[in-house]
Structure formats: structure tokens, C-alpha cells
Amino acid sequence: MLTRRNFIKTSATGGAGLLAALHAGRSLAFNNTGSPAELYQLSESLLKQWAAALIKLQVTDQSRTDDYGGIWCPADNTVHGRVGDTIYPFFYLASRANDSRYTDAAVLLYRWMERRVSRPDGSWLNEPQPGSWLGTTVFSAIALGETLKHHGALMDASFKAEVTARLKKAGDFICNTFTIDYGNINYPITASYGLSLLGRLLDEPKFSAKGRELAHQALRFISAKDGFLYGEGDPYYQASKKGCYSVDLGYNVEESLPSLVMYGQLTQDEEVLQAVTRSLQTHLEFMLPDGGWDNSWGTRNYKWTYWGSRTSDGSQPAYALLAGRDPVFYKAALQNTRLMQQCTHDGLLNAGLHYPSLHIPPCVHHTFCHIKGLTTILEYGDATAKAPAQTLVLPREKIYGSRFFSDIQTLLVSKGDFRATITAYDREYKKTTNGHASGGALTMLWHPKTGPLLTASMNEYQLYEAGNMQPDSDPFSMPLTPRVELRTGGQLYMSISDLDATMAVNNEKHHIGDVVVYAQPKLVDKNQQSPASGDIRCRLSYVFTGNKVVFTFEYDKGPHDAEIKVIFPVIAASSDKVTVVNSKTLKIDKGSAVVQIVSSAGITIMPTTGGRVFNFVPGLEALPLSMEQNGLTIEMTVW
């Protein structure tokens, strides 16, 4: 554990202050240094960058009475209610740097919390407005609890007493309000750790008992077959037509599973630690070799960023802290942290690779949440990790053909250089429609020279959580998922909306070793309805040969033939050079590689604002292509 330096106590009032290596069984090289402590060095560096940017955004003008002490979000023109979670990282840095600026900033934040989002019942509002969600009280309680546990010596007596008393009220609220059915599964699971932490800090046995109860109830939500944690949406206990429950990769790896890890380590609960280790191994199948989290299919992927999820703390506390049980967990934590470093610009974590090229301001939520996650591993982790990262191989770095996960009706493909995801997952988030892609859609195509080539987004960009999502005003905005679509009678029917679609993998007609995936969706609207003229069934195939991917799109003939199109958005930053070779061929020069697309029909580049479409889910730009031909084939190669 990293040691703390002595520090003068702060005032209670505060102040302003990839590929041959794969075939040889080795991992792809992503700037591996071989240093076993790199994760912790990088985390410390990012922590300082993010904290410096957040302090600059703190409102120190006392005339702004509502905002004074809060951290301003330039993207949303507000102070977010959970910004007080930054108190913990600020106190950590104060102890490391012996610098009172951090404690001053932390105390100002606490004063803002108590003035703007604190309630008499012990809860804190998620946003500073009446009627806001109260479940996020548990996150603030953990942040303050960790601060008190590790850095209470930096507080003067009166401030420490005040924080302690406030945590008791928060603990009572959580203990009396949270059950295993409270909100989505991330809330009772996070409360299992929060209450256990407060139980020990405050010597409250009832908190500890409730924490253990919630942790063991949560184990029933880890699926017996594949090991996914479910409960991110409802119906909570009822399976879908295909036997699926509500699973979201982002919330699981960045919030719920880390909390179970923290609970298990705090209480030395081996039953929980064994169960969460298995579940983390399952979820790790969806980490891309560059550290990206492939949540192209999750129930709550409306908050999907390429590196994780918009308002959770990060996967590092789960994977880094259990690296002793599975060494590859260390590499997972490192690769994801490297990716977050790549997405950090002007000191703030951007919610995707292409925010900076479009000059889109990032929401500060990403930074103040994930800075807390990195603080956790710096506080609890082993900075002398046992194995260098280049000796470790992530599951998706291996070439294995295909793997199917029936719990989420999703297939992973690993063939040659390509990594792909195809899904027919039929569980939407609560009562929403046109959320994550389904229909046997290809929701991720990744290559080591380019990163993501094709990705899903939401089928329809909707502000399910308006306070935690950024509005999209682009008139040409569209889903990023490749699809067949029909616009007729003012309605949109898409193959990626069909929750009843079927999938199959491989076929004897193709060369041995090829991975061939078939999907059979219908064109349906957001309510799963076909056009008035009747069902239009599609037959899609994806053939992975190792050095190329071939797509085929076929559909039933009928009265709408002239209106049906194949939409094929290719991930391409504004800086990528596009060359139209001829009417059926174009190339995209990404600097590190050239992507060639050859179609059996003429290719149309669809209208855009500035040459690309951008989608906040998962924060990427794309070149939108359109083709019209029944039986269309598209061949994609990278060199």
C-alpha cells in the first residue's frame, strides 16, 4: 500500500485554494513497458491531471450562491449533484503532496453538498433539484467513508465530527431504505460495501449485518451458466422470450462487481470473492485488446463510452484488486487505464475517442467518477504487481473462432486480425424501446491497426437519463449500427430493432476455418411491428476469413423494394482521408492503416454535418454509407 505523508490539518470552514504474436500464443503489444508497477504509476499521473482540471472548474465566486464550492460542468452548464464524490481523491492527493489546496477544495465541496443536495432524512439528491433520485446517496457515503477511514487525520476535530455524524445519517437512510429490489442491482450491491464500510467505521453492527445480507442476496443474480451479473433493468426476476435477463456490461464491471470485490476484501468473505472472480472472468471476455469495453449490446448502453460507462467509477477496483487470483486481471486494469489516458484532453476524461476532434466539451461526471476509482486502487492495491503486462493475454487477444453466450444471446468472433460481436439479445431496458441493437446485428468490428471499424449505438438516441447524457442536435444524426432499413409512411423499420431474430454460426459450404454467422431478422419499428404490407424478412451473413470480412444483406421481395436500403456507417475520425476509387469502392486512410470497402452496388455517402456523423454512444464519428441492392455484398479489408 502506498504510504501517506504527514500533513497539517485543514480548517473546518475551508477556503479557495497485433499479429504474428497472436499465432505464437503471445499477446498483442500495446505500448507495454514491462514495468509491473505501470498501472499504479499511470493512475497516479492521471489522478493529478484530473484533479488539477477539476480544481480549476471549482466555483470560488461567493456571489454565485447556488454554485459556490461546486465543480462546474462546461458541457451541461451546471454543478452535478454527485460531484462531492471528488472529496475522497482530493484528500488522497493532499496526503501525497502535502498541499492544502486539495483539502480546501474538498471542504468547499462538502459545504456545497450540504447546502444544495443534502436532505434531512440522511440522503443526498442525485441532482440539485426536487424529486431527484436518492439512490446515489450510497456513492457519496462511500466516498466520505473512505476519506474518513484513510485521511481522517488530516481533518481538524470539529470537521471530522461533522463528517462522522453526517455519515451516520446517511448510513441510517441506506440501511432503512435499500433492499435487494431497490433500483437496479447496482444499488443494493454497492450498498453491501457501503454499509459494511460504515459499520466498521462507525461501530454500527446493524449496518454490517445489512451489508452482508445484501451481498449474499446479490450472489443469486450471477447466472449459473455463463456467470453474468443481471438485474440492470426490469422485469427483475422474469426472463425474456429467449431466456435472457437484464445485463449491462458497463454498470457491472465499473460499479457492481467492484463493490462486491471491496465488500469481499473488507469482510474476508471467501464465498463472495470466489463468485465475483468467476463473474469478472466472464465479463472480461468483452474487453477489447486495447482496453475498450464492448458494451455494444448491454441494457443500459445508452451510457456506453468506448472505455466504460459515463457515470460509474471504473473497472480498476475490481480487476486490479483481484489480480492475485487471476494475473490477467492486472493487464485488464492497465489496458483500460491506458485507454482513459488516451481519451484525456485538457485534463478531463472524454467520453469517447472522437470528442476532441469535434471540440465537444466532455461532461465532468466522467472525470470525477473515475478519479475515485483510481484513488481506490492507489489506496488498496499492490503497487508491486507480480507479472509484467506483456506476459499476460486477454481473452479477446486469443484466436478462438467464436464463442456464444446464451445468457445474452451474443456471439464473439476472433478470427485472424478481426474481433467482432453479433447479438440477438432481446432484453430492453425497462419499458424503453429501440435501445441497444438486436436483430443479429454486428455491433462491434475491431482490428489492431485501426481500433473499432464498426460499432453499435442506440437504435434511437434517447435521453433516458437527461442529467447524465448530452443532447444531440445534429439533424443528420443516426444509429451507427450496420443495418437494413425501410422508411415508409412516416415510420422507420430496421433489422436491428427485431428482438425475435435468430442467429446461427458456421456453414459447411465455406472453407474450413472460416467463421460464418447467419442472422434472420425482420424489418420492424420500435414497437416490434412490421409494415402494414406485411412481414419483410432479412437474411444476413458475416463471413470472417482472417484477412477480410464479407457481409451479405438479403430481404424478401415486395412492394417496398425501392425504399429499402442498407446503411453501413464506418468508424472514421474527421482527420481520416476518404478516397472514392470508383462507384463501388472507397478507401479510408487512418494513418496507421487503410480500410478498403468494396460493394456489389453503388455506394452513396450520406449527408452529414462536417463530413461525419457523431454518436455520443460510444463517442465515435462515422462515415455513413448507403447502398441499395437485394443480395448486396460488402467486402472489408485492412492493410
Side-chain angles (χ1 to χ4, degrees):
M1 183 181 294
L2 298 174
T3 59
R4 302 194 300 273
R5 299 178 183 176
N6 292 327
F7 183 74
I8 300 173
K9 295 176 182 177
T10 185
S11 162
T13 58
L18 5 251
L19 215 41
L22 280 174
H23 297 283
R26 301 191 302 274
S27 65
L28 288 71
F30 286 96
N31 301 316
N32 287 321
T33 67
S35 168
E38 182 187 352
L39 170 62
Y40 298 91
Q41 295 165 355
L42 179 57
S43 297
E44 190 91 25
S45 174
L46 276 177
L47 202 68
K48 292 175 182 176
Q49 292 180 54
W50 292 348
L54 292 172
I55 284 181
K56 286 182 180 179
L57 291 170
Q58 188 166 37
V59 179
T60 57
D61 180 356
Q62 296 189 46
S63 68
R64 296 171 58 181
T65 54
D66 284 350
D67 302 324
Y68 175 59
I71 292 175
W72 188 251
C73 179
D76 298 308
N77 293 312
T78 191
V79 175
H80 290 291
R82 281 183 56 194
V83 75
D85 289 11
T86 319
I87 290 170
Y88 177 35
F90 280 172
F91 263 91
Y92 169 83
L93 285 168
S95 69
R96 294 288 291 170
N98 198 25
D99 190 338
S100 63
R101 289 180 305 161
Y102 296 115
T103 47
D104 289 346
V107 173
L108 275 180
L109 271 177
Y110 180 80
R111 297 294 175 222
W112 181 88
M113 283 179 67
E114 289 305 281
R115 192 174 67 253
R116 297 287 290 131
V117 294
S118 183
R119 285 167 35 104
D121 63 1
S123 65
W124 285 287
L125 297 164
N126 182 57
E127 295 292 350
Q129 55 193 31
S132 186
W133 172 237
L134 303 178
T136 50
T137 297
V138 67
F139 307 133
S140 299
I142 290 173
L144 284 178
E146 297 285 13
T147 306
L148 188 63
K149 175 181 178 179
H150 296 285
H151 308 292
L154 303 186
M155 304 175 183
D156 66 23
S158 62
F159 185 63
K160 184 176 182 179
E162 183 180 351
V163 171
T164 302
R166 184 63 183 85
L167 279 173
K168 172 62 168 62
K169 290 178 63 177
D172 284 335
F173 172 81
I174 297 166
C175 190
N176 296 333
T177 306
F178 282 47
T179 67
I180 197 64
D181 299 307
Y182 181 77
N184 294 321
I185 193 64
N186 61 305
Y187 288 102
I189 286 182
T190 310
S192 72
Y193 175 61
L195 287 171
S196 299
L197 174 65
L198 296 185
R200 295 199 175 198
L201 275 176
L202 307 177
D203 192 22
E204 286 285 350
K206 67 176 182 179
F207 291 174
S208 298
K210 183 67 174 285
R212 186 184 188 282
E213 176 186 342
L214 291 173
H216 283 262
Q217 287 178 321
L219 296 186
R220 302 200 307 263
F221 288 79
I222 296 177
S223 66
K225 184 171 185 180
D226 290 335
F228 287 103
L229 175 67
Y230 64 88
E232 287 301 330
D234 54 34
Y236 217 41
Y237 300 102
Q238 179 183 343
S240 68
K241 290 182 182 179
K242 296 178 181 177
C244 299
Y245 292 89
S246 298
V247 178
D248 184 74
L249 181 76
Y251 269 88
N252 286 357
V253 300
E254 290 211 332
E255 198 157 272
S256 298
L257 294 176
S259 294
L260 277 181
V261 169
M262 297 296 290
Y263 164 83
Q265 292 199 331
L266 176 69
T267 62
Q268 297 184 323
D269 191 323
E270 187 60 26
E271 181 182 357
V272 168
L273 288 172
Q274 288 184 13
V276 76
T277 299
R278 171 178 175 256
S279 188
L280 285 168
Q281 289 166 336
T282 295
H283 289 77
L284 191 56
E285 298 280 349
F286 292 83
M287 175 173 276
L288 294 159
D290 61 359
W293 280 113
D294 178 8
N295 195 24
S296 57
W297 48 270
T299 55
R300 302 183 75 182
N301 89 328
Y302 57 87
K303 292 170 81 170
W304 177 36
T305 68
Y306 187 60
W307 40 255
S309 195
R310 297 180 72 90
T311 60
S312 45
D313 288 357
S315 58
Q316 286 75 11
Y319 286 99
L321 299 186
L322 286 194
R325 293 175 180 254
D326 187 339
V328 78
F329 285 3
Y330 172 81
K331 185 171 184 180
L334 175 59
Q335 290 296 85
N336 187 251
T337 308
R338 286 171 171 166
L339 180 59
M340 290 197 295
Q341 181 188 42
Q342 182 183 347
C343 292
T344 296
H345 296 271
D346 296 327
L348 294 176
L349 178 59
N350 286 244
L353 294 168
H354 294 159
Y355 268 62
S357 60
L358 294 176
H359 305 290
I360 298 173
C363 176
V364 298
H365 223 129
H366 325 318
T367 305
F368 72 68
C369 282
H370 288 79
I371 194 174
K372 190 170 64 171
L374 295 188
T375 302
T376 300
I377 67 167
L378 289 168
E379 206 84 79
Y380 287 96
D382 182 1
T384 58
K386 304 300 185 294
Q390 72 265 28
T391 67
L392 304 169
V393 182
L394 294 170
R396 220 157 176 182
E397 291 182 283
K398 302 173 184 176
I399 295 176
Y400 52 72
S402 65
R403 290 177 180 170
F404 182 66
F405 297 87
S406 60
D407 282 346
I408 56 171
Q409 292 292 304
T410 297
L411 182 78
L412 299 185
V413 175
S414 178
K415 179 66 177 176
D417 293 2
F418 291 100
R419 303 293 178 268
T421 306
I422 300 101
T423 189
Y425 186 37
D426 67 337
R427 174 63 88 200
E428 293 263 40
Y429 181 64
K430 297 187 177 180
K431 296 181 180 180
T432 57
T433 58
N434 254 348
H436 67 82
S438 186
L442 187 143
T443 59
M444 175 62 70
L445 184 65
W446 185 96
H447 191 282
K449 292 183 179 179
T450 64
L453 286 164
L454 301 169
T455 73
S457 61
M458 297 170 66
N459 288 347
E460 178 185 348
Y461 188 72
Q462 305 161 68
L463 299 182
Y464 292 161
E465 296 182 23
N468 296 324
M469 299 173 67
Q470 292 176 255
D472 185 355
S473 59
D474 187 348
F476 297 110
S477 181
M478 66 168 64
L480 298 186
T481 319
R483 62 198 181 274
V484 182
E485 75 172 36
L486 164 67
R487 291 182 182 271
T488 186
Q491 297 295 318
L492 175 63
Y493 303 88
M494 300 188 294
S495 60
I496 58 176
S497 297
D498 184 15
L499 300 177
D500 293 330
T502 59
M503 292 194 314
V505 62
N506 287 339
N507 188 287
E508 295 177 357
K509 296 180 181 179
H510 293 269
H511 300 322
I512 295 174
D514 291 354
V515 177
V516 186
V517 184
Y518 290 99
Q520 296 188 21
K522 295 188 298 184
L523 297 185
V524 298
D525 65 13
K526 65 181 181 180
N527 298 313
Q528 303 298 301
Q529 299 300 307
S530 295
S533 58
D535 290 349
I536 303 174
R537 300 183 181 276
C538 302
R539 291 162 294 282
L540 316 179
S541 69
Y542 317 103
V543 180
F544 302 86
T545 66
N547 59 3
K548 65 181 178 181
V549 183
V550 180
F551 306 79
T552 303
F553 301 88
E554 184 181 359
Y555 43 87
D556 291 344
K557 293 182 180 180
H560 298 291
D561 286 0
E563 301 170 275
I564 296 176
K565 298 180 180 181
V566 172
I567 309 298
F568 198 78
V570 181
I571 303 303
S574 300
S575 56
D576 295 343
K577 181 181 178 181
V578 178
T579 300
V580 177
V581 179
N582 56 51
S583 63
K584 299 180 181 179
T585 305
L586 62 78
K587 296 179 180 180
I588 303 173
D589 188 345
K590 292 178 168 286
S592 58
V594 174
V595 181
Q596 178 172 278
I597 298 158
V598 179
S599 169
S600 61
I603 301 174
T604 298
I605 298 177
M606 301 174 71
T608 64
T609 301
R612 300 287 190 274
V613 292
F614 174 82
N615 202 297
F616 288 94
V617 176
L620 296 171
E621 293 181 276
L623 180 71
L625 308 179
S626 172
M627 290 143 276
E628 299 179 36
Q629 183 186 73
N630 201 342
L632 174 77
T633 61
I634 300 173
E635 180 178 297
M636 178 178 281
T637 54
V638 179
W639 68 84

